[in-house]
């Protein structure tokens, strides 16, 4: 269904967007960074928010054990690749991180437009989970559209 395709796309973009922050924050003990490098600190903060957004998407999508294992291994591989690329070219990695965040914002914007136009009927009546409401500060019984709007706002804040 179209809803499953949207969830797959958002899940994949969230995995890619969160990999750099997790890789750089986990390597902080052995990877030297210049003093005052605020970008890597903001990536680490963004990684924790991205983890929560991934948990929300996983709860909505329910990928199963194999799907979760594939997503986790893909994120680990992307993180390692990003770390080596950051050593070689930090400027490129900053561009790549910004590009992925921008694509994530564009995806949420397009999703909300599709929901408003009635192309995704399963999402229009769906209610948010308790964990999504707790993470995003929404009242219980909020709609899935409100969850996606808040997730887009978080992504816009971090780009």
């Amino acid at each position: 269904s179209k809803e499953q395709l949207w969830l797959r796309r958002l899940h994949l973009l969230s995995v890619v967007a969160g990999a750099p922050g997790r890789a750089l924050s986990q390597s902080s003990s052995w990877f030297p960074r210049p003093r005052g490098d605020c970008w890597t600190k903001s990536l680490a903060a963004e990684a924790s928010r991205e983890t929560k957004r991934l948990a929300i998407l996983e709860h909505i999508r329910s990928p199963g054990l194999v799907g979760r294992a594939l997503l986790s291994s893909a994120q680990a591989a992307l993180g390692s690749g990003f770390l080596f690329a950051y050593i070689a070219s930090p400027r490129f990695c900053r561009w790549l991180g910004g590009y992925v965040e921008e694509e994530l914002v564009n995806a949420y914007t397009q999703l909300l437009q599709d929901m408003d136009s009635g192309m995704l009927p399963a999402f229009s009546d769906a209610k948010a989970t308790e964990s999504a409401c707790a993470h995003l500060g929404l009242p219980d019984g909020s709609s899935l559209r409100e969850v996606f709007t808040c997730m887009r706002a978080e992504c816009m804040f971090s780009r």
Side-chain angles (χ1 to χ4, degrees), residues 1-11 60-61 107 110-115 117-124 144 148:
S1 72
K2 289 182 181 179
E3 289 86 356
Q4 289 298 321
L5 291 175
W6 267 111
L7 288 174
R8 189 177 302 142
R9 179 179 180 195
L10 292 175
H11 212 153
I60 295 170
R61 186 168 173 234
Q110 184 63 45
L111 171 69
L112 293 171
Q113 289 173 352
D114 286 356
M115 287 176 75
S117 67
M119 294 174 61
L120 304 170
F123 283 168
S124 57
L144 199 55
F148 289 140

Side-chain angles (χ1 to χ4, degrees), residues 22-40:
R22 271 189 276 300
L24 290 175
S25 65
Q26 290 172 354
S27 67
S28 62
S29 62
W30 59 270
F31 180 66
R33 283 193 283 282
R35 283 193 181 274
D37 190 8
C38 295
W39 184 71
T40 55

Side-chain angles (χ1 to χ4, degrees), residues 10-126:
L10 292 175
H11 212 153
L12 181 64
L13 283 171
S14 293
V15 166
V16 173
R22 271 189 276 300
L24 290 175
S25 65
Q26 290 172 354
S27 67
S28 62
S29 62
W30 59 270
F31 180 66
R33 283 193 283 282
R35 283 193 181 274
D37 190 8
C38 295
W39 184 71
T40 55
K41 291 177 185 174
S42 67
L43 269 182
E46 173 60 24
S48 67
R49 287 190 296 271
E50 199 65 52
T51 300
K52 291 175 184 173
R53 287 195 294 265
L54 270 172
I56 292 169
L57 289 171
E58 280 184 8
H59 190 74
I60 295 170
R61 186 168 173 234
S62 302
L65 185 61
V66 174
R68 285 188 182 136
L70 286 172
L71 287 169
S72 295
S73 59
Q75 194 167 32
L78 285 170
S80 299
F82 183 85
L83 187 62
F84 290 122
Y86 186 76
I87 293 169
S89 178
R91 187 174 178 185
F92 169 77
C93 290
R94 289 177 189 214
W95 171 84
L96 183 64
Y99 177 79
V100 171
E101 286 293 330
E102 192 67 31
E103 282 300 310
L104 196 53
V105 170
N106 291 340
Y108 278 115
T109 302
Q110 184 63 45
L111 171 69
L112 293 171
Q113 289 173 352
D114 286 356
M115 287 176 75
D116 291 341
S117 67
M119 294 174 61
L120 304 170
F123 283 168
S124 57
D125 298 332

